[in-house]
Amino acid sequence: VRVEVQFTRLGDLYAQLDDALGRYFNRRSTARVKPDIDTNVYVKLSHGPHRVRGFAHDLSGTGLGVALPLAQAAVFKGGEHVRVTVHLPGSDDEIEGPGVVRHGYRRGPEVVLGVEFDLLADSPMRTRRKEFLGYVEARRESMEAWQQALSRPA
């Protein structure tokens, strides 16, 4: 027997799940990874006169979650087209391109905005995609190795 459930308020759902359970509710076609615990991935979002700075909460091949203080995140609405600028660790240059705010949810004192990249637009986000995907893949491999090490018997 197969039962399908559709959650209508994803932000509320994710806010109640820890990271371990959250991945079971993640229906993305690309893997979502966390930045290294000792390194910040700086992100800037802009739309019209609004410009804010935050940190990547998670990253994937198609977008990222941006952690922002509640007051800053409140100016962005779901479906809004934004400009995303990402500064990957170890890189001197920022990667910039258009995106769309898909959802947002509270996570403690912050809000995480889910932003999907517009990979069809001619922008550095598209032309430097290989560099971005390289970072995401390296983090995925690192997280997988860490989980395997934890699951080995002592």
Side-chain angles (χ1 to χ4, degrees):
V1 174
R2 180 177 173 178
V3 176
E4 291 188 29
V5 176
Q6 180 178 2
F7 295 95
T8 56
R9 295 173 54 187
L10 287 179
D12 291 344
L13 172 67
Y14 286 131
Q16 295 175 47
L17 298 174
D18 63 11
D19 293 331
L21 287 176
R23 68 179 173 212
Y24 294 108
F25 290 88
N26 180 1
R27 294 182 48 165
R28 289 182 176 208
S29 59
T30 58
R32 184 184 300 191
V33 298
K34 299 271 189 195
D36 185 67
I37 195 164
D38 297 323
T39 309
N40 286 321
V41 175
Y42 297 99
V43 179
K44 295 180 214 169
L45 286 182
S46 60
H47 173 74
H50 306 292
R51 287 165 180 39
V52 299
R53 294 172 190 237
F55 302 97
H57 175 266
D58 56 70
L59 304 100
S60 76
T62 57
L64 73 166
V66 184
L68 299 166
L70 177 60
Q72 292 182 354
V75 300
F76 297 97
K77 308 291 183 241
E80 203 162 61
H81 291 267
V82 295
R83 203 87 192 147
V84 184
T85 305
V86 181
H87 186 207
L88 295 175
S91 176
D92 293 332
D93 300 322
E94 296 175 328
I95 303 175
E96 172 272 325
V100 177
V101 176
R102 292 296 179 200
H103 61 86
Y105 61 92
R106 289 287 299 263
R107 186 158 186 95
E110 299 177 321
V111 171
V112 176
L113 295 179
V115 178
E116 181 180 11
F117 301 138
D118 179 353
L119 297 172
L120 299 177
D122 188 22
S123 71
M125 188 60 75
R126 185 173 134 202
T127 57
R128 294 179 58 198
R129 182 163 168 70
K130 191 172 190 176
E131 179 183 349
F132 186 84
L133 290 175
Y135 177 80
V136 171
E137 181 60 19
R139 288 298 307 137
R140 187 195 64 74
E141 289 173 358
S142 176
M143 291 171 65
E144 193 173 277
W146 182 77
Q147 287 180 342
Q148 287 178 353
L150 285 178
S151 64
R152 288 189 194 120

